[in-house]
Amino acid sequence: MNKPKVCHFTSAHKPDDIRIYHKECNSLAEEGYDVFLVSAYPAESLNGPVKVVHTGSKSRGRIGRMLFTTREVYKKAKSIDAEIYHFHDPELLRFGLKLKRQGKKVIYDAHEDVPRQIMAKFWIPKVFRKLISVCFEKYENYVARRLSAVVVSTPHIRERFIQIHPGTIDVCNYPLMNELMEPTSWDDKQEEICYVGGISVVRGIQELMDTLLLLSNLRLNLAGNFSNTELEEQIKSKQAWNRVEFYGYVGRKELLSIFQRSKIGMVTLLPTPNHMESLPIKMFEYMSAGIPVICSNFPLWEEIVSSNKCGVCVDPTNPEAMASSIQNLLSNPEAAKEMGKNGRMAILEKYNWGIEKKKLFNLYAEL
């Protein structure tokens, strides 16, 4: 029996998003589903079984995207006339509910705990954050309980949504097994560390630059987009910027090459409520590349790192402590190499997409 037509749609993510395209959509296509992905952005060099469609939307600011781009994405997705719709942005909740009322099976993929994330949004005046967070949570709960299912990215977010919708599952954003590479020899690398992902104040870029200034022989491989142009200009004006290799947004192959040349992977996000219970993909990708991790000393992250002996936890607000942790690893290569091996083994045994995708398959089969 042919499996049904499936349409994933997003207004905020690029079509080659690692979770949406490389993991969920490709896995479903390999399982035999007829998969479409609608994005507001054009697709480049995405040749595979997933049919990528873009809306040709104009480049807009955040408010314009929420008001207009979302509707364009919805209309394009609706025109595909799929049996199952799977959307990835909270700004699309109203359209997910519309599709459900039209008799479609609809899945909300909650990548983040958005009400807690709102509390750290720099562009929302601080005096309004609590009110907006509470109002959004009520609205998100209202829509979510009326959809067919909810997919979330961490067990912590699942604990919240399972109270609202019994059809909630966690599908963690762990690395793809087919991207596992042979780790580069420690001795073949230079004194370089890396940070990959979104670059913002709450993700610790200021503290990371201050740390770099304390270690004169160290270089930083930095990949990702800045949250805004003002921050980008500010960071690039810092004294330590001349020891940064900045790549901007990179594809999967270039990302893997960054891991190969780096001795340590940094994931020192600041302690916001959303970060403290998250499972950042960058941490697990560092582990899969066989490099030790230096991460924020949040209880959940400490449990992962200490139980797998794959890195060091540190106060992310303290550049001196971060610099000391980096220097200790660079000065003790045997210990650092052992941490890298342990992290890679943990990925092979438990933190990988091969395990997580089975949860997604089971959910789709039930729908």
Side-chain angles (χ1 to χ4, degrees), residues 35-56:
V35 182
F36 288 77
L37 169 59
V38 175
S39 169
Y41 302 93
E44 297 178 5
S45 304
L46 293 179
N47 300 315
V50 178
K51 304 169 186 69
V52 182
V53 180
H54 75 91
T55 60

mmCIF file of all heavy atoms in Angstrom, residues 35-56:
data_model
loop_
_atom_site.group_PDB
_atom_site.id
_atom_site.type_symbol
_atom_site.label_atom_id
_atom_site.label_comp_id
_atom_site.label_asym_id
_atom_site.label_seq_id
_atom_site.Cartn_x
_atom_site.Cartn_y
_atom_site.Cartn_z
ATOM 1 N N VAL A 35 7.067 13.015 0.172
ATOM 2 C CA VAL A 35 7.329 14.145 1.062
ATOM 3 C C VAL A 35 7.572 15.439 0.296
ATOM 4 O O VAL A 35 8.420 15.498 -0.604
ATOM 5 C CB VAL A 35 8.550 13.852 1.980
ATOM 6 C CG1 VAL A 35 8.778 15.011 2.943
ATOM 7 C CG2 VAL A 35 8.341 12.557 2.761
ATOM 8 N N PHE A 36 6.859 16.484 0.700
ATOM 9 C CA PHE A 36 7.057 17.842 0.206
ATOM 10 C C PHE A 36 7.537 18.707 1.378
ATOM 11 O O PHE A 36 7.166 18.477 2.524
ATOM 12 C CB PHE A 36 5.751 18.424 -0.327
ATOM 13 C CG PHE A 36 5.294 17.822 -1.623
ATOM 14 C CD1 PHE A 36 4.693 16.568 -1.649
ATOM 15 C CD2 PHE A 36 5.440 18.512 -2.826
ATOM 16 C CE1 PHE A 36 4.265 16.011 -2.842
ATOM 17 C CE2 PHE A 36 5.016 17.961 -4.015
ATOM 18 C CZ PHE A 36 4.428 16.703 -4.038
ATOM 19 N N LEU A 37 8.355 19.698 1.059
ATOM 20 C CA LEU A 37 8.788 20.681 2.047
ATOM 21 C C LEU A 37 8.573 22.069 1.463
ATOM 22 O O LEU A 37 9.162 22.422 0.437
ATOM 23 C CB LEU A 37 10.261 20.487 2.408
ATOM 24 C CG LEU A 37 10.914 21.608 3.246
ATOM 25 C CD1 LEU A 37 10.179 21.797 4.575
ATOM 26 C CD2 LEU A 37 12.388 21.319 3.470
ATOM 27 N N VAL A 38 7.721 22.861 2.102
ATOM 28 C CA VAL A 38 7.452 24.234 1.673
ATOM 29 C C VAL A 38 8.209 25.184 2.589
ATOM 30 O O VAL A 38 8.095 25.114 3.817
ATOM 31 C CB VAL A 38 5.946 24.547 1.719
ATOM 32 C CG1 VAL A 38 5.704 26.022 1.380
ATOM 33 C CG2 VAL A 38 5.182 23.655 0.762
ATOM 34 N N SER A 39 8.986 26.066 1.970
ATOM 35 C CA SER A 39 9.769 27.050 2.715
ATOM 36 C C SER A 39 9.620 28.408 2.053
ATOM 37 O O SER A 39 9.350 28.504 0.852
ATOM 38 C CB SER A 39 11.245 26.639 2.749
ATOM 39 O OG SER A 39 12.059 27.683 3.247
ATOM 40 N N ALA A 40 9.820 29.457 2.839
ATOM 41 C CA ALA A 40 9.784 30.815 2.280
ATOM 42 C C ALA A 40 11.046 31.135 1.511
ATOM 43 O O ALA A 40 11.083 32.095 0.744
ATOM 44 C CB ALA A 40 9.586 31.827 3.405
ATOM 45 N N TYR A 41 12.081 30.311 1.697
ATOM 46 C CA TYR A 41 13.389 30.588 1.095
ATOM 47 C C TYR A 41 13.644 29.659 -0.082
ATOM 48 O O TYR A 41 13.204 28.502 -0.077
ATOM 49 C CB TYR A 41 14.501 30.415 2.128
ATOM 50 C CG TYR A 41 14.338 31.288 3.349
ATOM 51 C CD1 TYR A 41 13.684 30.814 4.477
ATOM 52 C CD2 TYR A 41 14.831 32.586 3.370
ATOM 53 C CE1 TYR A 41 13.528 31.622 5.602
ATOM 54 C CE2 TYR A 41 14.682 33.399 4.490
ATOM 55 C CZ TYR A 41 14.024 32.902 5.607
ATOM 56 O OH TYR A 41 13.876 33.694 6.707
ATOM 57 N N PRO A 42 14.378 30.104 -1.090
ATOM 58 C CA PRO A 42 14.701 29.225 -2.219
ATOM 59 C C PRO A 42 15.650 28.113 -1.794
ATOM 60 O O PRO A 42 16.484 28.292 -0.908
ATOM 61 C CB PRO A 42 15.370 30.165 -3.226
ATOM 62 C CG PRO A 42 15.883 31.303 -2.406
ATOM 63 C CD PRO A 42 14.926 31.464 -1.271
ATOM 64 N N ALA A 43 15.503 26.966 -2.427
ATOM 65 C CA ALA A 43 16.364 25.820 -2.141
ATOM 66 C C ALA A 43 17.549 25.824 -3.088
ATOM 67 O O ALA A 43 17.404 26.060 -4.281
ATOM 68 C CB ALA A 43 15.566 24.528 -2.294
ATOM 69 N N GLU A 44 18.718 25.552 -2.542
ATOM 70 C CA GLU A 44 19.929 25.496 -3.355
ATOM 71 C C GLU A 44 20.613 24.145 -3.155
ATOM 72 O O GLU A 44 20.903 23.749 -2.040
ATOM 73 C CB GLU A 44 20.886 26.626 -2.962
ATOM 74 C CG GLU A 44 20.315 28.018 -3.223
ATOM 75 C CD GLU A 44 21.264 29.120 -2.777
ATOM 76 O OE1 GLU A 44 22.389 28.786 -2.367
ATOM 77 O OE2 GLU A 44 20.867 30.297 -2.834
ATOM 78 N N SER A 45 20.857 23.456 -4.248
ATOM 79 C CA SER A 45 21.604 22.195 -4.238
ATOM 80 C C SER A 45 20.976 21.152 -3.320
ATOM 81 O O SER A 45 21.679 20.428 -2.614
ATOM 82 C CB SER A 45 23.064 22.444 -3.818
ATOM 83 O OG SER A 45 23.660 23.396 -4.662
ATOM 84 N N LEU A 46 19.653 21.060 -3.319
ATOM 85 C CA LEU A 46 18.982 20.020 -2.545
ATOM 86 C C LEU A 46 18.391 19.011 -3.520
ATOM 87 O O LEU A 46 17.245 19.133 -3.960
ATOM 88 C CB LEU A 46 17.888 20.630 -1.653
ATOM 89 C CG LEU A 46 18.360 21.535 -0.525
ATOM 90 C CD1 LEU A 46 17.176 22.087 0.257
ATOM 91 C CD2 LEU A 46 19.308 20.796 0.412
ATOM 92 N N ASN A 47 19.193 18.038 -3.873
ATOM 93 C CA ASN A 47 18.768 17.018 -4.823
ATOM 94 C C ASN A 47 18.543 15.714 -4.069
ATOM 95 O O ASN A 47 19.472 15.108 -3.560
ATOM 96 C CB ASN A 47 19.841 16.817 -5.903
ATOM 97 C CG ASN A 47 20.104 18.097 -6.679
ATOM 98 O OD1 ASN A 47 19.158 18.779 -7.079
ATOM 99 N ND2 ASN A 47 21.376 18.429 -6.878
ATOM 100 N N GLY A 48 17.302 15.301 -3.988
ATOM 101 C CA GLY A 48 16.998 14.086 -3.251
ATOM 102 C C GLY A 48 15.530 13.751 -3.403
ATOM 103 O O GLY A 48 14.808 14.349 -4.213
ATOM 104 N N PRO A 49 15.060 12.815 -2.587
ATOM 105 C CA PRO A 49 13.671 12.367 -2.723
ATOM 106 C C PRO A 49 12.639 13.365 -2.210
ATOM 107 O O PRO A 49 11.460 13.247 -2.524
ATOM 108 C CB PRO A 49 13.647 11.082 -1.881
ATOM 109 C CG PRO A 49 14.730 11.279 -0.860
ATOM 110 C CD PRO A 49 15.805 12.053 -1.566
ATOM 111 N N VAL A 50 13.057 14.344 -1.425
ATOM 112 C CA VAL A 50 12.123 15.334 -0.888
ATOM 113 C C VAL A 50 11.882 16.424 -1.922
ATOM 114 O O VAL A 50 12.833 16.984 -2.483
ATOM 115 C CB VAL A 50 12.672 15.955 0.412
ATOM 116 C CG1 VAL A 50 11.711 17.014 0.949
ATOM 117 C CG2 VAL A 50 12.919 14.880 1.461
ATOM 118 N N LYS A 51 10.633 16.730 -2.191
ATOM 119 C CA LYS A 51 10.273 17.773 -3.153
ATOM 120 C C LYS A 51 10.219 19.115 -2.426
ATOM 121 O O LYS A 51 9.302 19.361 -1.646
ATOM 122 C CB LYS A 51 8.938 17.441 -3.810
ATOM 123 C CG LYS A 51 8.919 16.074 -4.491
ATOM 124 C CD LYS A 51 7.513 15.690 -4.893
ATOM 125 C CE LYS A 51 7.475 14.270 -5.436
ATOM 126 N NZ LYS A 51 7.728 13.240 -4.375
ATOM 127 N N VAL A 52 11.215 19.956 -2.661
ATOM 128 C CA VAL A 52 11.317 21.240 -1.967
ATOM 129 C C VAL A 52 10.652 22.330 -2.805
ATOM 130 O O VAL A 52 10.965 22.512 -3.975
ATOM 131 C CB VAL A 52 12.793 21.592 -1.686
ATOM 132 C CG1 VAL A 52 12.876 22.912 -0.923
ATOM 133 C CG2 VAL A 52 13.464 20.473 -0.886
ATOM 134 N N VAL A 53 9.741 23.055 -2.189
ATOM 135 C CA VAL A 53 8.983 24.109 -2.859
ATOM 136 C C VAL A 53 9.175 25.401 -2.063
ATOM 137 O O VAL A 53 9.090 25.386 -0.833
ATOM 138 C CB VAL A 53 7.480 23.762 -2.906
ATOM 139 C CG1 VAL A 53 6.700 24.863 -3.600
ATOM 140 C CG2 VAL A 53 7.253 22.411 -3.568
ATOM 141 N N HIS A 54 9.449 26.503 -2.752
ATOM 142 C CA HIS A 54 9.535 27.761 -2.020
ATOM 143 C C HIS A 54 8.512 28.744 -2.560
ATOM 144 O O HIS A 54 8.046 28.645 -3.704
ATOM 145 C CB HIS A 54 10.954 28.344 -2.066
ATOM 146 C CG HIS A 54 11.347 28.961 -3.369
ATOM 147 N ND1 HIS A 54 11.145 30.292 -3.646
ATOM 148 C CD2 HIS A 54 11.934 28.422 -4.473
ATOM 149 C CE1 HIS A 54 11.595 30.553 -4.855
ATOM 150 N NE2 HIS A 54 12.078 29.453 -5.380
ATOM 151 N N THR A 55 8.156 29.705 -1.732
ATOM 152 C CA THR A 55 7.045 30.600 -2.057
ATOM 153 C C THR A 55 7.478 31.816 -2.865
ATOM 154 O O THR A 55 6.632 32.544 -3.376
ATOM 155 C CB THR A 55 6.392 31.109 -0.758
ATOM 156 O OG1 THR A 55 7.379 31.826 0.000
ATOM 157 C CG2 THR A 55 5.861 29.951 0.072
ATOM 158 N N GLY A 56 8.781 32.073 -2.942
ATOM 159 C CA GLY A 56 9.244 33.279 -3.600
ATOM 160 C C GLY A 56 8.906 34.526 -2.811
ATOM 161 O O GLY A 56 8.785 35.624 -3.362
#
